[in-house]
Amino acid sequence: MSTMHALTFTGGVRRANPFLHVVIPDCIDLTLAESLLRWFEKEAPWQFSAVDEFYQLLDMDLRGAILPKDLRILVDGSFLEDVRTNMADLMNARLTSKIDVTAHKMQVGCRIGTHTDHGSLGQTHRLLIHLNRGWTAEDGGLLMLLDEERPSPQSRNLRCYLPHHRRAIGFEISPNSYHAVSTVVMGDRFALCFSFYGHP
C-alpha cells in the first residue's frame, strides 16, 4: 500500500470551539484499519499506564514494537512526512519532522481525566484515529473537548465525540486544550495516536 492511500484527510472539517480541532471521517484505509485492529486485539505488546485514577489505559510506542509487515507503513518516514504535511495544512501550523507514534487501549472501567497535554515535552498538535467495532454511546469512552478544566453543566463550549471506527480527531495542544475520555462501560476502546512538535 502506498503512503498516499493509507490515510486520507479529505473531508476534514475544522472547528474553532472549544479550541481548534478537525474531524476527519474514514481517515484510515479500510484494509489497513482492519489489520491494525486485529493486531491491537490479539498480538500488540500493551503496557499498562496509570496515574492514580486520573489516567487509566494501556499504551505502546509503535516505533519500539515488532510490527507485522502490513503495519510497518505506520512508522515509515515518507508516510509520516505525508501525515505531518497534511496535519500542518489542516491546522495552519508549522510542524517539525519529529513525530511520536503511539497507540492506546482502554478497557472497561478505564477513563482519562481532564487535562491539556501542554507541558515540557513540547508537543503542539495531536491526531487520534479511533479503531473500534460498532461503538455506541452506551459503551462510554467519549472523547470530550472542553473550554475549561471544570465546565458547568450549562457550558455550551463542550464537544463530545464517539470513537467511531476510522474517524480521526486532530487538535492543537495549548494551555487551554482541555480534553478527557469518559469511562469505558463496555468493550475495548482503541486509538492510534500521532503527536507533533511545532517550530519554536
Side-chain angles (χ1 to χ4, degrees), residues 82-93:
D82 284 346
V83 175
R84 184 196 68 80
T85 300
N86 280 282
M87 187 68 175
D89 288 345
L90 279 173
M91 304 300 289
N92 192 26

Side-chain angles (χ1 to χ4, degrees), residues 107-177:
Q107 299 173 306
V108 172
C110 289
R111 63 181 287 271
I112 300 176
T114 304
H115 65 294
T116 66
D117 283 321
H118 184 261
S120 59
L121 286 179
Q123 296 173 351
T124 60
H125 293 79
R126 179 155 300 138
L127 179 69
L128 296 172
I129 303 177
H130 294 112
L131 298 145
N132 297 293
R133 300 191 188 279
W135 204 268
T136 68
E138 289 72 26
D139 297 323
L142 276 67
L143 174 64
M144 300 179 290
L145 307 185
L146 315 99
D147 65 347
E148 54 186 331
E149 188 171 7
R150 295 180 177 85
S152 68
Q154 293 78 29
S155 176
R156 295 183 179 180
N157 284 328
L158 166 65
R159 287 190 182 269
C160 295
Y161 292 103
L162 279 174
H164 283 309
H165 186 54
R166 300 172 58 217
R167 181 167 72 180
I169 309 292
F171 57 89
E172 66 179 4
I173 295 173
S174 76
N176 301 312
S177 59

